[in-house]
Amino acid sequence: MLPEPRTEDVPTAMEAAAREQLSAVLTPEVAPDALDPDADMTGAYGLTSLNKVLFLTEVCEATHVDLAHFTEHDLAEMKTLRDVTDALTRHAGKGA
């Protein structure tokens, strides 16, 4: 788990965590720094719906963002790594 990020580091910490967690669920694995933040995760990297759930669960845990903040619609709209990072950043520091 990542330590609680300082406010000014939130976008950077969120992006790093999202890159690490997405990289971990991709087959074949893609290095975190090689991931395009604007690429469609399903189309570009073959992210399956099951792996998306695993990815989002792990990244929420790593960033201390409660997955309960997101509706089914929110999750469906998270198509790119940037979408995920932006959504996590919006909820950083909020309680459950």
Side-chain angles (χ1 to χ4, degrees), residues 69-90:
H69 287 301
F70 304 108
T71 65
E72 186 175 337
H73 177 75
D74 293 334
L75 299 176
E77 291 299 309
M78 292 182 200
K79 294 179 169 61
T80 69
L81 194 58
R82 189 175 315 278
D83 294 337
V84 173
T85 301
D86 290 347
L88 291 168
T89 301
R90 281 192 302 274

PDB file of all heavy atoms in Angstrom, residues 69-90:
ATOM      1  N   HIS A  69     -17.432   5.051  -3.341  1.00  0.00           N
ATOM      2  CA  HIS A  69     -17.679   6.398  -3.870  1.00  0.00           C
ATOM      3  C   HIS A  69     -18.176   6.364  -5.315  1.00  0.00           C
ATOM      4  O   HIS A  69     -18.744   7.339  -5.795  1.00  0.00           O
ATOM      5  CB  HIS A  69     -16.402   7.247  -3.836  1.00  0.00           C
ATOM      6  CG  HIS A  69     -15.996   7.698  -2.480  1.00  0.00           C
ATOM      7  ND1 HIS A  69     -16.788   8.466  -1.670  1.00  0.00           N
ATOM      8  CD2 HIS A  69     -14.847   7.484  -1.791  1.00  0.00           C
ATOM      9  CE1 HIS A  69     -16.160   8.704  -0.536  1.00  0.00           C
ATOM     10  NE2 HIS A  69     -14.986   8.120  -0.586  1.00  0.00           N
ATOM     11  N   PHE A  70     -17.943   5.249  -6.003  1.00  0.00           N
ATOM     12  CA  PHE A  70     -18.226   5.178  -7.430  1.00  0.00           C
ATOM     13  C   PHE A  70     -19.489   4.380  -7.720  1.00  0.00           C
ATOM     14  O   PHE A  70     -19.692   3.302  -7.185  1.00  0.00           O
ATOM     15  CB  PHE A  70     -17.033   4.556  -8.171  1.00  0.00           C
ATOM     16  CG  PHE A  70     -15.748   5.277  -7.923  1.00  0.00           C
ATOM     17  CD1 PHE A  70     -14.756   4.715  -7.137  1.00  0.00           C
ATOM     18  CD2 PHE A  70     -15.532   6.544  -8.445  1.00  0.00           C
ATOM     19  CE1 PHE A  70     -13.573   5.386  -6.878  1.00  0.00           C
ATOM     20  CE2 PHE A  70     -14.349   7.230  -8.200  1.00  0.00           C
ATOM     21  CZ  PHE A  70     -13.363   6.650  -7.416  1.00  0.00           C
ATOM     22  N   THR A  71     -20.310   4.934  -8.611  1.00  0.00           N
ATOM     23  CA  THR A  71     -21.507   4.228  -9.059  1.00  0.00           C
ATOM     24  C   THR A  71     -21.129   3.296 -10.213  1.00  0.00           C
ATOM     25  O   THR A  71     -20.024   3.384 -10.766  1.00  0.00           O
ATOM     26  CB  THR A  71     -22.568   5.220  -9.567  1.00  0.00           C
ATOM     27  OG1 THR A  71     -22.064   5.871 -10.744  1.00  0.00           O
ATOM     28  CG2 THR A  71     -22.924   6.257  -8.494  1.00  0.00           C
ATOM     29  N   GLU A  72     -22.062   2.461 -10.594  1.00  0.00           N
ATOM     30  CA  GLU A  72     -21.838   1.584 -11.740  1.00  0.00           C
ATOM     31  C   GLU A  72     -21.555   2.420 -12.988  1.00  0.00           C
ATOM     32  O   GLU A  72     -20.691   2.078 -13.798  1.00  0.00           O
ATOM     33  CB  GLU A  72     -23.061   0.694 -11.950  1.00  0.00           C
ATOM     34  CG  GLU A  72     -22.879  -0.348 -13.021  1.00  0.00           C
ATOM     35  CD  GLU A  72     -24.057  -1.298 -13.134  1.00  0.00           C
ATOM     36  OE1 GLU A  72     -24.814  -1.452 -12.164  1.00  0.00           O
ATOM     37  OE2 GLU A  72     -24.205  -1.885 -14.216  1.00  0.00           O
ATOM     38  N   HIS A  73     -22.266   3.538 -13.130  1.00  0.00           N
ATOM     39  CA  HIS A  73     -22.040   4.440 -14.261  1.00  0.00           C
ATOM     40  C   HIS A  73     -20.622   5.023 -14.216  1.00  0.00           C
ATOM     41  O   HIS A  73     -19.947   5.096 -15.250  1.00  0.00           O
ATOM     42  CB  HIS A  73     -23.080   5.562 -14.257  1.00  0.00           C
ATOM     43  CG  HIS A  73     -22.875   6.566 -15.343  1.00  0.00           C
ATOM     44  ND1 HIS A  73     -23.187   6.328 -16.661  1.00  0.00           N
ATOM     45  CD2 HIS A  73     -22.342   7.816 -15.313  1.00  0.00           C
ATOM     46  CE1 HIS A  73     -22.872   7.374 -17.391  1.00  0.00           C
ATOM     47  NE2 HIS A  73     -22.363   8.296 -16.592  1.00  0.00           N
ATOM     48  N   ASP A  74     -20.180   5.445 -13.032  1.00  0.00           N
ATOM     49  CA  ASP A  74     -18.816   5.975 -12.890  1.00  0.00           C
ATOM     50  C   ASP A  74     -17.793   4.951 -13.370  1.00  0.00           C
ATOM     51  O   ASP A  74     -16.858   5.285 -14.104  1.00  0.00           O
ATOM     52  CB  ASP A  74     -18.493   6.307 -11.427  1.00  0.00           C
ATOM     53  CG  ASP A  74     -19.296   7.454 -10.865  1.00  0.00           C
ATOM     54  OD1 ASP A  74     -19.742   8.332 -11.633  1.00  0.00           O
ATOM     55  OD2 ASP A  74     -19.498   7.464  -9.627  1.00  0.00           O
ATOM     56  N   LEU A  75     -17.968   3.710 -12.936  1.00  0.00           N
ATOM     57  CA  LEU A  75     -17.026   2.654 -13.294  1.00  0.00           C
ATOM     58  C   LEU A  75     -17.041   2.388 -14.796  1.00  0.00           C
ATOM     59  O   LEU A  75     -15.984   2.201 -15.406  1.00  0.00           O
ATOM     60  CB  LEU A  75     -17.329   1.375 -12.519  1.00  0.00           C
ATOM     61  CG  LEU A  75     -17.233   1.503 -10.995  1.00  0.00           C
ATOM     62  CD1 LEU A  75     -17.657   0.200 -10.330  1.00  0.00           C
ATOM     63  CD2 LEU A  75     -15.845   1.909 -10.548  1.00  0.00           C
ATOM     64  N   ALA A  76     -18.210   2.405 -15.389  1.00  0.00           N
ATOM     65  CA  ALA A  76     -18.318   2.178 -16.832  1.00  0.00           C
ATOM     66  C   ALA A  76     -17.642   3.293 -17.626  1.00  0.00           C
ATOM     67  O   ALA A  76     -17.105   3.048 -18.711  1.00  0.00           O
ATOM     68  CB  ALA A  76     -19.783   2.057 -17.236  1.00  0.00           C
ATOM     69  N   GLU A  77     -17.661   4.511 -17.081  1.00  0.00           N
ATOM     70  CA  GLU A  77     -17.049   5.659 -17.762  1.00  0.00           C
ATOM     71  C   GLU A  77     -15.524   5.690 -17.624  1.00  0.00           C
ATOM     72  O   GLU A  77     -14.864   6.479 -18.301  1.00  0.00           O
ATOM     73  CB  GLU A  77     -17.645   6.964 -17.239  1.00  0.00           C
ATOM     74  CG  GLU A  77     -19.095   7.160 -17.650  1.00  0.00           C
ATOM     75  CD  GLU A  77     -19.265   7.230 -19.161  1.00  0.00           C
ATOM     76  OE1 GLU A  77     -18.561   8.011 -19.809  1.00  0.00           O
ATOM     77  OE2 GLU A  77     -20.111   6.477 -19.682  1.00  0.00           O
ATOM     78  N   MET A  78     -14.962   4.857 -16.781  1.00  0.00           N
ATOM     79  CA  MET A  78     -13.506   4.802 -16.610  1.00  0.00           C
ATOM     80  C   MET A  78     -12.926   3.932 -17.722  1.00  0.00           C
ATOM     81  O   MET A  78     -12.694   2.740 -17.552  1.00  0.00           O
ATOM     82  CB  MET A  78     -13.145   4.248 -15.238  1.00  0.00           C
ATOM     83  CG  MET A  78     -13.514   5.152 -14.104  1.00  0.00           C
ATOM     84  SD  MET A  78     -12.986   4.426 -12.536  1.00  0.00           S
ATOM     85  CE  MET A  78     -14.014   5.320 -11.389  1.00  0.00           C
ATOM     86  N   LYS A  79     -12.684   4.562 -18.857  1.00  0.00           N
ATOM     87  CA  LYS A  79     -12.217   3.837 -20.031  1.00  0.00           C
ATOM     88  C   LYS A  79     -10.711   3.947 -20.234  1.00  0.00           C
ATOM     89  O   LYS A  79     -10.096   3.081 -20.842  1.00  0.00           O
ATOM     90  CB  LYS A  79     -12.946   4.344 -21.266  1.00  0.00           C
ATOM     91  CG  LYS A  79     -14.436   4.024 -21.244  1.00  0.00           C
ATOM     92  CD  LYS A  79     -15.110   4.578 -22.477  1.00  0.00           C
ATOM     93  CE  LYS A  79     -16.491   4.111 -22.701  1.00  0.00           C
ATOM     94  NZ  LYS A  79     -17.537   4.312 -21.858  1.00  0.00           N
ATOM     95  N   THR A  80     -10.121   5.021 -19.736  1.00  0.00           N
ATOM     96  CA  THR A  80      -8.679   5.236 -19.899  1.00  0.00           C
ATOM     97  C   THR A  80      -8.026   5.356 -18.525  1.00  0.00           C
ATOM     98  O   THR A  80      -8.706   5.580 -17.518  1.00  0.00           O
ATOM     99  CB  THR A  80      -8.390   6.520 -20.697  1.00  0.00           C
ATOM    100  OG1 THR A  80      -8.762   7.652 -19.905  1.00  0.00           O
ATOM    101  CG2 THR A  80      -9.117   6.545 -22.031  1.00  0.00           C
ATOM    102  N   LEU A  81      -6.740   5.227 -18.509  1.00  0.00           N
ATOM    103  CA  LEU A  81      -5.992   5.402 -17.266  1.00  0.00           C
ATOM    104  C   LEU A  81      -6.192   6.814 -16.719  1.00  0.00           C
ATOM    105  O   LEU A  81      -6.319   7.007 -15.513  1.00  0.00           O
ATOM    106  CB  LEU A  81      -4.510   5.130 -17.534  1.00  0.00           C
ATOM    107  CG  LEU A  81      -3.596   4.942 -16.351  1.00  0.00           C
ATOM    108  CD1 LEU A  81      -4.053   3.785 -15.467  1.00  0.00           C
ATOM    109  CD2 LEU A  81      -2.177   4.704 -16.818  1.00  0.00           C
ATOM    110  N   ARG A  82      -6.280   7.794 -17.603  1.00  0.00           N
ATOM    111  CA  ARG A  82      -6.516   9.173 -17.167  1.00  0.00           C
ATOM    112  C   ARG A  82      -7.896   9.301 -16.511  1.00  0.00           C
ATOM    113  O   ARG A  82      -8.049   9.990 -15.509  1.00  0.00           O
ATOM    114  CB  ARG A  82      -6.393  10.151 -18.335  1.00  0.00           C
ATOM    115  CG  ARG A  82      -6.423  11.606 -17.874  1.00  0.00           C
ATOM    116  CD  ARG A  82      -6.176  12.594 -18.996  1.00  0.00           C
ATOM    117  NE  ARG A  82      -5.092  12.297 -19.891  1.00  0.00           N
ATOM    118  CZ  ARG A  82      -3.798  12.568 -19.655  1.00  0.00           C
ATOM    119  NH1 ARG A  82      -3.438  13.124 -18.523  1.00  0.00           N
ATOM    120  NH2 ARG A  82      -2.877  12.267 -20.548  1.00  0.00           N
ATOM    121  N   ASP A  83      -8.913   8.614 -17.063  1.00  0.00           N
ATOM    122  CA  ASP A  83     -10.245   8.628 -16.446  1.00  0.00           C
ATOM    123  C   ASP A  83     -10.177   8.100 -15.018  1.00  0.00           C
ATOM    124  O   ASP A  83     -10.777   8.664 -14.106  1.00  0.00           O
ATOM    125  CB  ASP A  83     -11.232   7.750 -17.232  1.00  0.00           C
ATOM    126  CG  ASP A  83     -11.549   8.255 -18.623  1.00  0.00           C
ATOM    127  OD1 ASP A  83     -11.384   9.470 -18.892  1.00  0.00           O
ATOM    128  OD2 ASP A  83     -11.972   7.411 -19.457  1.00  0.00           O
ATOM    129  N   VAL A  84      -9.451   7.014 -14.833  1.00  0.00           N
ATOM    130  CA  VAL A  84      -9.322   6.405 -13.506  1.00  0.00           C
ATOM    131  C   VAL A  84      -8.586   7.351 -12.565  1.00  0.00           C
ATOM    132  O   VAL A  84      -9.031   7.601 -11.440  1.00  0.00           O
ATOM    133  CB  VAL A  84      -8.595   5.042 -13.592  1.00  0.00           C
ATOM    134  CG1 VAL A  84      -8.303   4.484 -12.208  1.00  0.00           C
ATOM    135  CG2 VAL A  84      -9.417   4.048 -14.407  1.00  0.00           C
ATOM    136  N   THR A  85      -7.472   7.896 -13.022  1.00  0.00           N
ATOM    137  CA  THR A  85      -6.683   8.808 -12.199  1.00  0.00           C
ATOM    138  C   THR A  85      -7.493  10.040 -11.804  1.00  0.00           C
ATOM    139  O   THR A  85      -7.481  10.449 -10.640  1.00  0.00           O
ATOM    140  CB  THR A  85      -5.401   9.231 -12.946  1.00  0.00           C
ATOM    141  OG1 THR A  85      -4.640   8.064 -13.261  1.00  0.00           O
ATOM    142  CG2 THR A  85      -4.557  10.158 -12.116  1.00  0.00           C
ATOM    143  N   ASP A  86      -8.226  10.600 -12.748  1.00  0.00           N
ATOM    144  CA  ASP A  86      -9.055  11.774 -12.451  1.00  0.00           C
ATOM    145  C   ASP A  86     -10.130  11.439 -11.420  1.00  0.00           C
ATOM    146  O   ASP A  86     -10.379  12.220 -10.490  1.00  0.00           O
ATOM    147  CB  ASP A  86      -9.706  12.318 -13.721  1.00  0.00           C
ATOM    148  CG  ASP A  86      -8.721  12.976 -14.681  1.00  0.00           C
ATOM    149  OD1 ASP A  86      -7.566  13.233 -14.275  1.00  0.00           O
ATOM    150  OD2 ASP A  86      -9.111  13.212 -15.842  1.00  0.00           O
ATOM    151  N   ALA A  87     -10.773  10.293 -11.565  1.00  0.00           N
ATOM    152  CA  ALA A  87     -11.820   9.885 -10.625  1.00  0.00           C
ATOM    153  C   ALA A  87     -11.245   9.653  -9.232  1.00  0.00           C
ATOM    154  O   ALA A  87     -11.824  10.087  -8.230  1.00  0.00           O
ATOM    155  CB  ALA A  87     -12.516   8.621 -11.127  1.00  0.00           C
ATOM    156  N   LEU A  88     -10.108   9.003  -9.159  1.00  0.00           N
ATOM    157  CA  LEU A  88      -9.471   8.766  -7.861  1.00  0.00           C
ATOM    158  C   LEU A  88      -9.085  10.086  -7.199  1.00  0.00           C
ATOM    159  O   LEU A  88      -9.290  10.274  -6.000  1.00  0.00           O
ATOM    160  CB  LEU A  88      -8.225   7.893  -8.026  1.00  0.00           C
ATOM    161  CG  LEU A  88      -8.459   6.441  -8.421  1.00  0.00           C
ATOM    162  CD1 LEU A  88      -7.145   5.798  -8.824  1.00  0.00           C
ATOM    163  CD2 LEU A  88      -9.125   5.664  -7.297  1.00  0.00           C
ATOM    164  N   THR A  89      -8.546  10.999  -7.978  1.00  0.00           N
ATOM    165  CA  THR A  89      -8.112  12.295  -7.450  1.00  0.00           C
ATOM    166  C   THR A  89      -9.297  13.073  -6.880  1.00  0.00           C
ATOM    167  O   THR A  89      -9.172  13.714  -5.831  1.00  0.00           O
ATOM    168  CB  THR A  89      -7.387  13.099  -8.549  1.00  0.00           C
ATOM    169  OG1 THR A  89      -6.256  12.345  -8.999  1.00  0.00           O
ATOM    170  CG2 THR A  89      -6.918  14.438  -8.033  1.00  0.00           C
ATOM    171  N   ARG A  90     -10.440  13.001  -7.547  1.00  0.00           N
ATOM    172  CA  ARG A  90     -11.638  13.694  -7.053  1.00  0.00           C
ATOM    173  C   ARG A  90     -12.069  13.191  -5.670  1.00  0.00           C
ATOM    174  O   ARG A  90     -12.654  13.934  -4.901  1.00  0.00           O
ATOM    175  CB  ARG A  90     -12.809  13.517  -8.023  1.00  0.00           C
ATOM    176  CG  ARG A  90     -12.757  14.402  -9.228  1.00  0.00           C
ATOM    177  CD  ARG A  90     -14.061  14.415  -9.997  1.00  0.00           C
ATOM    178  NE  ARG A  90     -14.499  13.108 -10.460  1.00  0.00           N
ATOM    179  CZ  ARG A  90     -14.124  12.535 -11.593  1.00  0.00           C
ATOM    180  NH1 ARG A  90     -13.274  13.146 -12.388  1.00  0.00           N
ATOM    181  NH2 ARG A  90     -14.596  11.358 -11.927  1.00  0.00           N
TER     182      ARG A  90
END
